[in-house]
Amino acid sequence: MTDLPGVFGSVAPYIDDYGYLAVAGMVFLANLCIPVPGDATLIVASIYTVSGDLGLVPVLVVAWTAAVLGECAAFAIGRYGGRPLAIRLGRRFGVTHDLLDRVEAFYARRGTATVVVGRFVPLLRRANGLVAGLTEMSWHRFLVANMVGAALWVGVCTIVGRQAGNNIDTVNTVLERVAPLLGLLLVVVIVLSVARRRRRRRAAEEELR
């Protein structure tokens, strides 16, 4: 199925050659802060379940397990690498202790929902586990959100892939153009929300003076 459009065509040869191993590897890396097309991998694997080249249940099990393990690995890197690693790697991008304090406060309030929903936004998916570990989100809370988010993500992508049919070009357009824009919009909303809360906190502190 190398005649699939766009990113699907680039993923298909790996699944042709390595089957479930390719699905496991790419989904794992996509959840480990690596820019690998995880959505496309799941959709192509799902298309292969329709043609009979792959089994539906094995794809679901392999993909879910790889997604959970990938984000757990990212969480461990964030937890044990800690702030020194984040500051060292992110200094040129404006990462500071103050910024990390605000991110930690955000995850304390909405970390569970962010880990679940972030699975559907490529930018957040790559950073989710790392940031959750960095902000010292509890392991149990993260694991539950991770497992639920992985199940929803794998399930939705599988349904999309099995139903794509003649609409695969439209799916490719959405994946390559619309999804990144939605991800950017979500990031902007989060940044504005954090900035607004910071202004309110400053205003409250000034009133108390």
Side-chain angles (χ1 to χ4, degrees), residues 11 16 23 30 39 52 109 114 150 153 162 169 176 179 183 188 192-193:
V11 167
D16 283 332
V23 175
D39 301 295
R109 296 191 306 271
T114 302
W153 178 55
R162 288 179 65 85
D169 288 305
E176 291 187 338
V188 170
L192 291 177
S193 176

Side-chain angles (χ1 to χ4, degrees), residues 110-209:
R110 298 186 176 88
T112 301
T114 302
V115 171
V116 173
V117 176
R119 247 343 182 316
F120 295 90
V121 182
L123 181 62
L124 287 181
R125 185 189 314 132
R126 291 165 191 159
N128 233 349
L130 184 67
V131 175
L134 185 64
T135 57
E136 298 186 356
M137 185 178 183
S138 72
W139 170 252
H140 179 266
R141 182 182 170 202
F142 167 77
L143 184 59
V144 171
N146 180 17
M147 294 171 67
V148 172
L152 293 174
W153 178 55
V154 171
V156 169
C157 288
T158 300
I159 292 172
V160 170
R162 288 179 65 85
Q163 300 298 323
N166 295 328
N167 298 313
I168 190 64
D169 288 305
T170 301
V171 174
N172 180 63
T173 299
V174 171
L175 196 61
E176 291 187 338
R177 300 179 184 178
V178 179
L181 291 177
L182 291 176
L184 179 60
L185 177 61
L186 181 58
V187 171
V188 170
V189 170
I190 291 175
V191 170
L192 291 177
S193 176
V194 171
R196 183 175 59 184
R197 288 180 178 276
R198 187 178 184 184
R199 287 196 300 269
R200 288 178 177 175
R201 184 177 61 187
R202 284 181 176 177
E205 290 174 351
E206 290 178 356
E207 289 179 0
L208 293 175
R209 292 175 182 175

Side-chain angles (χ1 to χ4, degrees), residues 59-73:
V59 164
L60 290 172
V61 172
V62 167
W64 180 80
T65 302
V68 171
L69 292 178
E71 195 142 297
C72 282

